[in-house]
Amino acid sequence: MSTLQTQALALFSGLPAPERFHVHARAFSAPLEAVARRAPAGASIADVGCGHGLLSALLALEDPARQVVGVDPDPRKVMWASRALGRLPNVHIEVGTVERLAETREGQFDAAVVCDVLYLLPEARWPAFFATVRRLLRPGGRFLLKEAEGAGSWKHYKCLAQEWVMVKLLRRTQAGGALVLQPRETLQALLRQAGFEVRETVALDRGYTTPHILYVAQAPGAAPASG
């Protein structure tokens, strides 16, 4: 475990045992630190679908000059995230959706991160979702999208089974869709249709039993000065 991950998990030590377990499981099952390290330095960042706030914590701790706004539609998760991250002056967590955030803070972010959210939405909403994320960003803003790849592998089907348990059986996660994973070509095409330039597509599944993949995309216009 890295120093950054240790620091982030320590923030959740005061939460009830089930919530701590959920956060620790998330930390060890997803390459969130790899996502955080690709976010721009000193940037204002929207963490859409932040859940308990682990990625928001990693983003804020890695670079205190960043300003992170996390939104999630689940009031229970936002409550725990706010309690855990309340000591970080550069993080704000609120109940909301990407649509609501775009209404109140359109064009105010240098970057947006979305991790393991898209598959929970109906596929018909994906194009509009990407278009709304673009509305959050300043010209040249960075979009980091981390999802599980639907490549028909054993990791693909294991991921779907795991998420079925979390969503349908344990009801730990809210979903409005059919838990669908798509191949990288489909998401790359949708990102381009929304006006993004796909700069990098990175497989992050080494050492994991989930087919993690990260899309690094850029909104049109000049990139912000942060690196």
Side-chain angles (χ1 to χ4, degrees), residues 17 24 26 42 69 73 75 85-86 115 121 131 143-144 150 158-159 200 208 210 217:
H24 278 254
R26 178 77 170 139
V69 176
L85 307 187
C115 288
L121 304 175
F143 180 20
L144 299 173
K158 171 264 174 188
C159 179
E200 190 178 10
Y208 294 94
T210 295

Side-chain angles (χ1 to χ4, degrees), residues 118 126-127 130 185-196:
L118 197 63
W126 293 6
F130 285 150
E185 293 80 9
T186 298
L187 292 186
Q188 288 169 339
L190 288 172
L191 285 166
R192 294 187 181 104
Q193 289 170 18
F196 289 102

